Amino acid sequence: MSANTLGLSLPADSLALSQYTNIPFTSFFQMDGKTYGCAPDGLYLIGGDDDAGETIRPVIEGPKTDAGSDAYKRLRGAFVAGRGVEGLTFSTRQGEGDWREALAVGGGRFAVGRDSAGRDMQWRIEGDGADFEISSVTLDVLNLGRARR
C-alpha cells in the first residue's frame, strides 16, 4: 500500500468504522493468534499499546462543511461528547487555512478564536494516547452574511 492508500476497519460486533492512512503494509496474515503486516522493509507484529515504543496518538478529522450555507461564517465553539474527552485537543480551520488549536474550557467544550472566517470549515481531534470514545461533535457556527470578511 502507498501513503495514499486508505485502510478501513469495520468490526462486525460494534460496526464502529475506523479509517487508517499511511499504512506501509502490502499484505497481512495471522499465525498463532497474532496478526502480522508485510512491508517492503520487513515483517511487523501488529498489536500492543504503542508503535515501536512511541505513543499512538490518534487523529480524527471531520468532513469539510459549509454548514448548509454559502455565506461567510465563523466557528465560535464546539462540544465533544463521549468518554475520556478531557485529554483531547480540538483544532479547526477555515477553507484551506492553517489548523488552529481551540481552548479547552472543560466538560468537552472548546472555545474557538474570533480571528478566522470563511465559507467552509473543518475540525480535527487529536488524542494524547489515552483511551477515549466520541459519541458526537457539535459545532457553534455564527453566520456572518455574504460579504467577504
Side-chain angles (χ1 to χ4, degrees), residues 52-141:
E54 295 291 322
T55 301
I56 298 171
R57 300 194 185 282
V59 176
I60 303 167
E61 285 188 5
K64 189 177 286 189
T65 180
D66 65 3
S69 167
D70 64 351
Y72 283 87
K73 56 201 70 74
R74 179 175 292 132
L75 183 59
R76 298 292 307 276
F79 174 67
V80 179
R83 179 184 55 77
V85 298
E86 293 302 319
L88 301 179
T89 301
F90 188 89
S91 302
T92 64
R93 71 175 172 183
Q94 300 279 162
E96 296 299 321
D98 294 332
W99 288 102
R100 297 175 182 211
E101 187 174 325
L103 175 66
V105 294
R109 297 192 183 283
F110 296 87
V112 178
R114 298 180 182 192
D115 58 347
S116 181
R119 293 190 176 190
D120 56 13
M121 64 197 73
Q122 188 175 11
W123 56 267
R124 177 173 65 191
I125 296 172
E126 295 179 64
D128 60 1
D131 287 343
F132 65 92
E133 183 177 306
I134 296 175
S135 56
S136 68
V137 175
T138 304
L139 304 177
D140 180 13
V141 179

Side-chain angles (χ1 to χ4, degrees), residues 28-45:
F28 300 89
F29 69 93
Q30 290 186 328
M31 185 171 69
D32 297 329
K34 296 180 181 178
T35 302
Y36 296 85
C38 302
D41 63 342
L43 185 63
Y44 295 85
L45 173 63

